[in-house]
């Protein structure tokens, strides 16, 4: 990461609109015309550069956004989708067939978990869920049918850190594809530079940053993205989760401020995590030395963008967690809402929201307690003021 600065790669991109605009022009079309039948045929076959066929396959704005996100991740190319799950599901279906198996981190986004556990078996694909931080356990779960190793750079919601470089070596040793969801750590970590084969983001979160759009992206090699977009057997093409051009344009504009926002998210999260830990709260944040993977993550990240905007606190019980979140919302400290990356702090109890798809016994086994609150820390200008107000809420409820 020392020789790769993703913000510079985004900054260096320059697009001109149709009439010389500093923003690329939006093509408000679902289909495109051809001057010759042969060009249409060549486009269907993927052999016509600069020609567009149908917006489910590609559109100018989606290609602009994809190019910018590939630059950010340092991959050959990328393809955007209408949601994060619209990126995750086709990748797994493209890489796996009936009889194949996946080894996945046990702590992942609830929707991903549900797809792997409840849907993939319908196609004869089995998933083994493991503690991704234990490399010996990961390798022991691999067998001759395994095709994919799947993890999140920083897991949702427990904030466990995956050793991507070591996982990449295991994947290469066993001829697997390492797929990494990097949603929690854009700019801070470039999994492709650490050996990951495919990088996924929910663009809904930090990258867009304004909680007004859902979207996803798959970053990887040109050959893999071509496979995903193949008109005959490409999962992204045939599943149809296409991003709208206007949404692509909106995300591309917001991407330009991502480096500024991530620095502030990280600064504020580090400030609050340090303060609350000193107050005696049970806090999990990768920037704290108490985090079991602090040294690993510290060595992985681009220091300029910090340890990210996600932290958790454990207040003991679900009732206490709900009381605190409701009080903080009433005091204008943020919103009791799922998702992340907004300008205001968002907080939720993941066991009953974003990870509710995971059975209660499995939540308990992985350490997801009833009193856990996941917090996406906002862009507050005066973070000391925020801390004092949050602390006041906790004192009022007997948490501190």
């Amino acid at each position: 990461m020392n020789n790769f600065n993703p913000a510079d790669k985004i900054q260096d991109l320059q697009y001109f609109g149709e009439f010389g605009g500093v923003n690329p022009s939006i093509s408000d079309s679902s289909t495109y015309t051809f001057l010759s039948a042969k060009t249409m045929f060549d486009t269907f076959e993927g052999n016509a550069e600069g020609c567009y066929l149908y917006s489910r396959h590609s559109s100018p704005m989606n290609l602009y956004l994809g190019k910018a996100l590939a630059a950010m991740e340092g991959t050959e190319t990328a393809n955007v989708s209408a949601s994060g799950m619209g990126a995750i599901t086709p990748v797994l279906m493209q890489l796996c067939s009936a009889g194949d198996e996946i080894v996945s981190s046990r702590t992942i986004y609830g929707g991903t978990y549900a797809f792997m556990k409840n849907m993939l078996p319908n196609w004869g694909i089995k998933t083994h869920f493991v503690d991704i931080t234990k490399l010996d356990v990961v390798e022991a779960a691999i067998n001759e049918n395994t095709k994919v190793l799947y993890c999140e750079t920083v897991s949702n919601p427990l904030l466990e850190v995956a050793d991507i470089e070591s996982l990449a070596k295991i994947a290469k040793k066993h001829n697997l594809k390492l797929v990494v969801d990097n949603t929690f750590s854009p700019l801070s970590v470039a999994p492709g530079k650490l050996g990951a084969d495919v990088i996924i983001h929910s663009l809904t979160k930090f990258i867009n940053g304004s909680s007004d759009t859902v979207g996803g992206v798959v970053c990887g090699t040109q050959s893999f993205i071509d496979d995903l977009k193949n008109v005959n057997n490409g999962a992204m093409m045939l599943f149809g989760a296409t991003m709208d051009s206007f949404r692509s344009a909106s995300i591309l504009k917001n991407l330009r401020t991502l480096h500024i926002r991530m620095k502030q998210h990280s600064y504020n999260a580090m400030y609050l995590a340090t303060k609350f830990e000193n107050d005696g709260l049970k806090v999990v944040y990768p920037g704290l030395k108490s985090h079991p993977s602090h040294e690993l993550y510290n060595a992985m990240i681009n220091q300029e963008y910090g340890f990210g905007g996600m932290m958790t606190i454990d207040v003991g019980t679900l009732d206490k967690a709900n009381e605190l979140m409701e009080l903080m919302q009433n005091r204008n400290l943020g919103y009791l809402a799922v998702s992340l990356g907004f300008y205001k702090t968002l907080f939720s109890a993941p066991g009953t929201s974003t990870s509710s798809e995971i059975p209660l016994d499995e939540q308990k086994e992985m350490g997801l307690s009833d009193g856990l609150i996941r917090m996406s820390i906002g862009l507050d200008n005066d973070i000391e003021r925020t801390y004092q107000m949050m602390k006041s809420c906790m004192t009022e409820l007997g948490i501190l």
Side-chain angles (χ1 to χ4, degrees), residues 298-320:
N298 189 50
M300 285 170 55
I301 64 172
N302 187 322
Q303 296 289 332
E304 185 176 354
Y305 306 106
F307 292 90
M310 304 300 298
M311 59 177 277
T312 68
I313 60 172
D314 195 330
V315 297
T317 68
L318 179 59
D319 286 344
K320 192 64 74 175

Side-chain angles (χ1 to χ4, degrees), residues 311-366:
M311 59 177 277
T312 68
I313 60 172
D314 195 330
V315 297
T317 68
L318 179 59
D319 286 344
K320 192 64 74 175
N322 288 338
E323 278 186 300
L324 177 59
M325 290 187 293
E326 289 170 6
L327 183 57
M328 288 194 297
Q329 179 167 256
N330 289 337
R331 301 278 169 85
N332 298 328
L333 284 163
Y335 296 109
L336 174 50
V338 299
S339 200
L340 48 125
F342 194 43
Y343 86 99
K344 284 185 76 73
T345 295
L346 304 178
F347 29 80
S348 62
T352 56
S353 58
T354 54
S355 296
S356 60
E357 297 92 339
I358 302 174
L360 291 177
D361 58 332
E362 294 183 32
Q363 289 186 26
K364 185 176 180 180
E365 183 182 343
M366 67 176 63

Side-chain angles (χ1 to χ4, degrees), residues 3 31 69 98 132 179 197-198 221 263 272 292 396:
N3 299 318
T31 191
L69 292 165
I132 205 71
V179 180
D197 297 291
V198 181
T221 63
K263 291 175 186 179
L272 291 178
E396 191 173 323

Side-chain angles (χ1 to χ4, degrees), residues 46-359:
N47 299 322
E49 283 290 323
C51 293
Y52 301 94
L53 177 68
Y54 182 57
S55 284
R56 177 159 56 86
H57 189 254
S58 65
S59 67
M61 187 53 68
N62 284 3
L63 291 176
Y64 288 138
L65 178 58
K67 185 176 180 180
L69 292 165
M72 182 188 78
E73 285 295 352
T75 60
E76 288 181 358
T77 191
N79 193 48
V80 297
S81 60
S83 70
M85 288 303 295
I88 292 166
T89 54
V91 164
L92 296 177
M93 294 301 290
Q94 193 73 34
L95 293 173
C96 297
S97 302
D100 290 341
E101 298 186 6
I102 298 167
V103 174
S104 169
S105 171
R106 63 183 182 175
T107 55
I108 51 175
Y109 171 59
T112 311
Y113 176 92
F115 180 71
M116 288 179 172
K117 185 168 185 179
N118 303 329
M119 294 292 291
L120 285 180
N122 296 333
W123 289 281
I125 300 168
K126 182 178 180 181
T127 303
H128 301 275
F129 296 99
V130 300
D131 184 342
I132 205 71
T133 65
K134 297 179 179 177
L135 298 176
D136 57 335
V137 173
V138 172
E139 191 155 20
I142 296 169
N143 61 48
E144 62 183 8
N145 297 319
T146 309
K147 293 295 186 293
V148 170
L149 184 55
Y150 186 95
C151 69
E152 296 172 346
T153 305
V154 179
S155 75
N156 185 1
L158 297 183
L159 308 185
E160 294 176 340
V161 175
D163 185 346
I164 296 173
E165 195 165 11
S166 295
L167 292 170
K169 291 176 182 176
I170 292 173
K172 186 174 182 180
K173 175 182 175 182
H174 295 278
N175 197 29
L176 313 178
K177 295 297 184 185
L178 175 59
V179 180
V180 178
D181 183 335
N182 200 35
T183 298
F184 276 24
S185 42
L187 301 185
S188 291
V189 181
K193 298 297 182 180
L194 298 172
D197 297 291
V198 181
I199 302 95
I200 292 168
H201 282 273
S202 169
L203 302 178
T204 314
K205 313 303 194 302
F206 286 113
I207 288 176
N208 185 55
S210 50
S211 291
D212 60 357
T213 296
V214 293
V217 67
V218 180
C219 304
T221 63
Q222 186 69 57
S223 62
F224 181 63
I225 299 301
D226 286 347
D227 288 345
L228 284 171
K229 294 170 65 176
N230 187 287
V231 295
N232 294 307
N233 53 23
M236 288 193 88
M237 177 64 175
L238 298 176
F239 284 8
T242 307
M243 178 171 281
D244 177 76
S245 292
F246 284 90
R247 289 306 188 187
S248 288
S250 176
I251 294 171
L252 182 59
K253 293 184 182 82
N254 288 345
L255 180 65
R256 296 164 184 162
T257 64
L258 179 62
H259 61 294
I260 301 168
R261 292 185 281 112
M262 287 310 301
K263 291 175 186 179
Q264 192 68 27
H265 283 303
S266 293
Y267 176 83
N268 285 353
M270 186 70 179
Y271 190 96
L272 291 178
T274 302
K275 288 281 191 177
F276 287 137
E277 185 174 62
N278 290 339
D279 288 335
L281 276 180
K282 186 178 178 182
V283 182
V284 175
Y285 181 65
L288 296 175
K289 291 183 179 179
S290 59
H291 191 286
S293 298
H294 171 73
E295 293 301 326
L296 168 66
Y297 200 53
N298 189 50
M300 285 170 55
I301 64 172
N302 187 322
Q303 296 289 332
E304 185 176 354
Y305 306 106
F307 292 90
M310 304 300 298
M311 59 177 277
T312 68
I313 60 172
D314 195 330
V315 297
T317 68
L318 179 59
D319 286 344
K320 192 64 74 175
N322 288 338
E323 278 186 300
L324 177 59
M325 290 187 293
E326 289 170 6
L327 183 57
M328 288 194 297
Q329 179 167 256
N330 289 337
R331 301 278 169 85
N332 298 328
L333 284 163
Y335 296 109
L336 174 50
V338 299
S339 200
L340 48 125
F342 194 43
Y343 86 99
K344 284 185 76 73
T345 295
L346 304 178
F347 29 80
S348 62
T352 56
S353 58
T354 54
S355 296
S356 60
E357 297 92 339
I358 302 174

Side-chain angles (χ1 to χ4, degrees), residues 7-26:
D8 290 346
K9 299 298 182 182
I10 296 170
Q11 180 70 32
D12 289 344
L13 292 172
Q14 198 155 305
Y15 304 128
F16 295 98
E18 184 180 0
F19 304 105
V22 295
N23 290 307
S25 302
I26 300 171

